[in-house]
Amino acid sequence: MSAPALSLRSLHKSFGATSILRDVSLDIPAGTRHAIIGPNGAGKSTLFHLVTGRLRLDRGSVWLAGDDITGQSPHAIFRRGLARSFQVTSLFPRLSVFENLRVAGMRAAGCGHAFWRRIDGFAALGARIEEMLALLDLGPRRDVAAGALAYAEQRALEIGLALVGGAHTILLDEPTAGMSRAETERAVALLRRLSAGRTLVMIEHDLSVVFDLADAITVLADGGVIASGPPASVRGDARVRAAYLGAAAEVLT
Amino acid sequence: MPGETQLPASVSVRPARRIGRGGRGAALAWGGAIAIALIAPHLFASGFGLSLLCRMAIAIVFALSFNMLLGQGGMLDFGHAVFFGLGGFATMHLLKLVDGGLALPVVLLPLAGALGGALAALPAGWLATRREGTSFAMITLGIAELAVALVVMIPQWFGGEEGVSGDRSGGVALFGFDFGSAVQIYYVLAAWALLAAALMWGVTRTPLGRLANAVRDNPLRVDFLGYDPARIRFLTFLLAGLFAGVAGGMQALNDEIMTVSNIGSAASGAVLLMTYIGGVGTFSGPVIGAVLVTLLQVALGTVTDAWQLYSGLIFVAMVLWAPGGISGIVQSHAPILRAGRGARLLGPYLALLPAVGLTLAGTVGLAELAYRLQAVRGGARAGRLFGLAVAPTDPWQWLLPLALFVLGAWLLSRLAPPARAAWQEAAAQAARGVS
């Protein structure tokens, strides 16, 4: 097997005197689905921000498919094949659903910054977007401004923006947050289907989604990794149980 | 978390608006534009009419180039006249070379404007587009000040106080046309306006055009989709500078003189006014704004010396109550009219008319009195208003317009909410009827 899709080596991050992440190391093999769980404030979203270039690392390094991407800008990291979604929905509110997806697919379609070619002339891109619209169940909403969508539709589009670009590694930050049971099930089916052949890393609070999808789970608590491995071993880990005392602990059993 | 979304509330509560895909409507609009450009000089054949049409053609290109930044790219440029003016000076210098014997058709001179505008936008954009939002606007303000200072400092290039002038009919005649006459220069400018507008419209339909929209809406997300938002802003800025330069070149041909005032903040303010009043949300908005504001400047200018006061008031009123501009008002009513529900709005809207009339009459009275008070203090005569002798120093004369204004404003505050509610209901019904 080649290099891991994503390799985090001893990441450290503090905001002022507050240490957010301490010595986080993690290898995610290519083609697997990996879930990162942990209580609120464990540093999960910060970890995504560090990996995708949103925030700068204090120490440590990030490797994508064998290449060091530490300190690179978000757009440079995307071009190396890493896409992400956001916990707080981050769309283009005045563009239509179709145009939102098309912007997300432009880099992979080789559009560049061209201002001498018609965007409609990229036929393969258009076809890919129509296909994605159907997969996301957003076909009837194709020409509606993203800002006018219902919340669940916006969440679906948020996932779509991360998936449509053809990245080999995809980071999803709470993809099912705020979705109903039925919507969550549809999202899980979609993720299962579209992550085939790719590496998926997701932060998820819904443990049923986690155990349904993930090949491996990493538990983050208080800025450090307290357990990492296949679902069965994580489920039985005593420290995980301690971190998850309360309602969620029952789901783990 | 549910509800934890960064989308502005004003966007999400609106009824689902369908965003057009161009096609037949666009072809019709362009055909109409060409037809108007051809017919207009026959309807307004006087010297005054033709010069007005020429000014409109220039303003349309200038406002469209401004909207590439503001409407399409979300960049508020406080110094857009810099590229207009420097494009105009570049054209002027080439025109002088043509006057001196250079064999170049005068028709092509706005190309020098394009080059001048783009070259000026290169360093300016390199500085300004590193930032977005307020910082961007501040940097452009600084660049505008800098450009004016430079123009004043280098009289060899920019002619100091008198500016640079030339003679557009001094070159080689092309097919017997020397472009000296008003109607000939009109057709040259109209052709350039149509060409520049078509090219700018084309840019909105390219990958860069779409990316500019995306950066306007959410630059952060663009960064995570493989594009550098600063680079997209920079390229958009260059194109906007180029087309502003074309407008400046048209101006140079039309006026046959460029001065420092063509670069200054008043010119930058005027294009902002036009674009905003027309509406930044659509491609046609700036065209509407350019035509109306040019007309307004001329029409008001012949009626009252206080016309700048009025254009300021109109601008403030639009920002407050119709931020989408005229095209925004049209756009928010189009689906209602198409659904055949326009008649229901007639009643509530007509009821507003007397209130609007009273407010306007009061505003005009107050504005004229205020303007003439200053004029009288300067030693001028107050003159007459609506056939009445005006004495702005008499406090009693202020009472009537004040009373009209207060009454009108009070009526508006009572009648506007039901009219708005009627519009919202009709819009919601129209949206439901369509989907």
Side-chain angles (χ1 to χ4, degrees), chain B residues 133-177:
Chain B
T134 311
S135 308
F136 171 90
M138 291 300 170
I139 297 170
T140 62
L141 201 59
I143 289 168
E145 292 299 310
L146 197 72
V148 170
L150 278 176
V151 165
V152 173
M153 271 163 56
I154 314 176
Q156 305 91 295
W157 291 359
F158 301 106
E161 293 270 302
E162 304 101 80
V164 180
S165 53
D167 178 5
R168 67 175 180 238
S169 56
V172 192
L174 195 69
F175 308 121
F177 298 111

Side-chain angles (χ1 to χ4, degrees), chain B residues 69 77 83 121 124-125 128-129 136 140 233-241:
Chain B
L69 293 175
D77 179 5
F83 315 112
T129 58
F136 171 90
T140 62
R233 280 196 295 267
F234 179 62
L235 290 171
T236 309
F237 196 92
L238 280 188
L239 287 175

Side-chain angles (χ1 to χ4, degrees), chain A residues 52 74-75 78-79 84 88 90-92 94 99 106-107 112 114 117 119 142-143 147 151 154 158 161, chain B residues 1 4 7 11-12 18-19 21 205-208 210-211 214 217-218 221 223-228:
Chain A
T52 58
H75 54 269
F78 179 93
R79 285 180 215 175
R84 70 166 293 182
V88 178
S90 181
L91 306 170
F92 305 110
R94 289 164 65 188
E99 294 296 357
M106 273 166 62
R107 178 51 78 183
R117 291 179 68 180
I119 177 96
R142 181 187 190 281
D143 298 317
Y151 178 79
Q154 291 188 346
E158 176 72 40
L161 290 190
Chain B
M1 310 263 152
E4 194 181 312
L7 303 175
V11 172
S12 48
R18 279 170 193 271
I19 296 167
R21 298 191 216 168
R205 299 159 68 82
T206 63
L208 182 69
R210 197 61 75 244
L211 286 168
D217 279 13
N218 189 349
R221 189 61 191 251
D223 208 359
F224 288 94
L225 292 172
Y227 284 96
D228 182 357

